[in-house]
């Protein structure tokens, strides 16, 4: 596959993976490309823990599902991220950012525009939507053949200092290498984010993975091979649109948007 094709095909996987184990060859390759990312003074601050053990995956899945239920029940998730919700293709085309919620449970579809309001929150809670979504999330994580924990060396990751920016930047580059390589390997990847949304739940994962004090657990991802046909979750979103160059590129100074590139944007 050509490199630009890989970049343009990069996606987040919201659905299930095949149950097949990720081959050791592919695991090694993913870690190799991560290790080839740039880092300040070649500090290579990243560390990774590969998790295939079923009890650990299922325990993290339980934490993730419960966290999703709590964050969606108390409204913190919707309040925090409502600037990114879009409810029509027209809005998505105009804004060209955020997430298009074009799939909701059937009983909620008549209330699509109100889902993320106080009234919608009460309706969702009455219908136990957060519980059903949390269970779907638990199943997705539990059904993943591999989890990947991403850590930073605390001697480099010192919040408030410049070294912290360097190390986080390097970690992002390492994970982008991993993400792009999953496209080439016919795999999918998704950030297991909900345990970060609820106080105390991330610490449980830190203990499960036995992260030492000199490392900071920054993220956990689920990975696996993609099935030929993917079933969409009960609540799903798409994010195909990208901002046009004139919306994020400037020429000479930040007072002059780039002109003439928008019509040549592909994908």
């Amino acid at each position: 596959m050509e490199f630009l094709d890989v970049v343009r095909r990069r996606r987040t996987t919201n659905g299930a993976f095949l149950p097949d184990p990720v081959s050791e060859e592919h695991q090694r390759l993913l870690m190799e490309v991560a290790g080839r990312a740039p880092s300040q003074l070649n500090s290579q601050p990243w560390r990774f823990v590969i998790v295939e053990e079923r009890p650990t995956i299922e325990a993290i899945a339980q934490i993730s599902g419960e966290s999703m239920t709590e964050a969606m029940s108390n409204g913190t998730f919707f309040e925090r991220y409502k600037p990114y919700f879009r409810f029509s293709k027209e809005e998505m085309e105009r804004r060209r950012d955020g997430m298009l919620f074009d799939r909701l449970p059937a009983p909620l579809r008549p209330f699509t525009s109100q889902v993320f309001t106080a009234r919608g929150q009460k309706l969702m809670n009455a219908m136990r939507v957060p519980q059903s979504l949390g269970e779907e999330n638990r199943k997705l994580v539990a059904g993943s053949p591999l989890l990947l924990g991403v850590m930073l060396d605390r001697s480099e990751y010192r919040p408030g200092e410049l070294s912290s920016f360097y190390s986080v930047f390097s970690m992002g580059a390492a994970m982008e290498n991993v993400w792009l390589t999953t496209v080439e390997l016919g795999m999918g990847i998704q950030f297991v984010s909900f345990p970060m949304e609820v106080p105390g739940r991330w610490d449980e994962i830190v203990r499960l993975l036995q992260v030492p004090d000199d490392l900071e657990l920054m993220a956990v991802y689920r990975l696996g091979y993609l099935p030929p046909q993917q079933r969409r979750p009960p609540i799903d979103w798409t994010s195909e649109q990208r901002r046009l160059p004139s919306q994020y590129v400037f020429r000479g100074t930040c007072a002059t948007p780039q002109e003439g590139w928008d019509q040549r944007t592909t994908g």
Side-chain angles (χ1 to χ4, degrees):
M1 192 182 301
E2 294 291 332
F3 175 73
L4 288 179
D5 290 336
V6 169
V7 173
R8 289 167 177 153
R9 289 178 57 183
R10 185 211 60 78
R11 296 289 185 273
T12 295
T13 304
N14 294 330
F17 300 129
L18 294 173
D20 310 46
V22 177
S23 72
E24 185 171 349
E25 176 187 0
H26 286 170
Q27 293 180 30
R28 182 198 61 76
L29 180 60
L30 290 173
M31 293 298 91
E32 177 191 346
V33 299
R36 290 184 178 274
S39 60
Q40 175 73 359
L41 299 174
N42 198 28
S43 55
Q44 303 175 64
W46 47 72
R47 304 290 185 271
F48 300 93
V49 54
I50 297 170
V51 182
E52 295 182 283
E53 293 75 14
R54 294 310 314 166
T56 306
I57 291 176
E58 289 169 6
I60 292 175
Q62 187 70 29
I63 293 169
S64 182
E66 291 172 356
S67 298
M68 184 176 193
T69 294
E70 183 173 346
M72 289 196 163
S73 294
N74 62 26
T76 56
F77 175 78
F78 301 124
E79 183 64 27
R80 185 172 294 153
Y81 300 113
K82 64 183 179 183
Y84 307 104
F85 301 145
R86 311 283 178 258
F87 298 105
S88 70
K89 291 182 179 179
E90 292 75 19
E91 183 183 16
M92 196 71 181
E93 182 66 26
R94 184 179 72 256
R95 298 289 299 271
R96 302 192 70 84
D97 65 358
M99 314 297 287
L100 173 61
F101 283 80
D102 63 340
R103 180 176 173 83
L104 293 169
L108 289 176
R109 288 172 196 162
F111 309 97
T112 296
S113 63
Q114 303 177 47
V115 164
F116 304 122
T117 64
R119 179 187 177 191
Q121 183 71 60
K122 291 180 181 179
L123 178 64
M124 285 200 298
N125 288 351
M127 298 174 62
R128 295 184 61 80
V129 171
Q131 285 78 7
S132 63
L133 293 178
E135 177 59 15
E136 285 288 328
N137 179 270
R138 185 198 67 78
K139 289 178 181 177
L140 279 178
V141 179
S144 304
L146 185 146
L147 299 183
L148 180 65
V150 186
M151 299 161 289
L152 286 178
D153 184 341
R154 286 183 186 271
S155 67
E156 297 291 334
Y157 178 67
R158 300 190 296 271
E161 298 185 23
L162 192 54
S163 65
S164 182
F165 166 77
Y166 291 146
S167 61
V168 172
F169 186 89
S170 298
M171 182 190 71
M175 281 311 302
E176 181 71 358
N177 283 359
V178 170
W179 211 302
L180 293 176
T181 303
T182 63
V183 179
E184 177 72 19
L185 299 179
M187 295 175 62
I189 183 171
Q190 185 184 37
F191 181 27
V192 181
S193 61
F194 273 98
M196 286 184 161
E197 302 286 346
V198 179
R201 301 315 302 260
W202 193 249
D203 293 335
E204 296 178 38
I205 298 179
V206 169
R207 290 191 290 270
L208 275 169
L209 299 181
Q210 300 180 30
V211 179
D213 291 342
D214 61 339
L215 297 179
E216 177 83 14
L217 182 65
M218 302 296 291
V220 173
Y221 295 86
R222 64 183 193 95
L223 297 92
Y225 296 110
L226 294 173
Q229 300 291 329
Q230 283 201 292
R231 180 182 66 87
R232 295 187 70 186
I235 282 189
D236 193 22
W237 47 80
T238 61
S239 56
E240 298 293 326
Q241 294 283 15
R242 291 295 184 270
R243 288 177 177 169
L244 298 171
S246 62
Q247 295 174 306
Y248 66 92
V249 180
F250 302 92
R251 176 68 66 175
T253 73
C254 294
T256 308
Q258 172 67 48
E259 296 181 356
W261 288 4
D262 289 358
Q263 60 269 31
R264 286 179 270 175
T265 300
T266 60

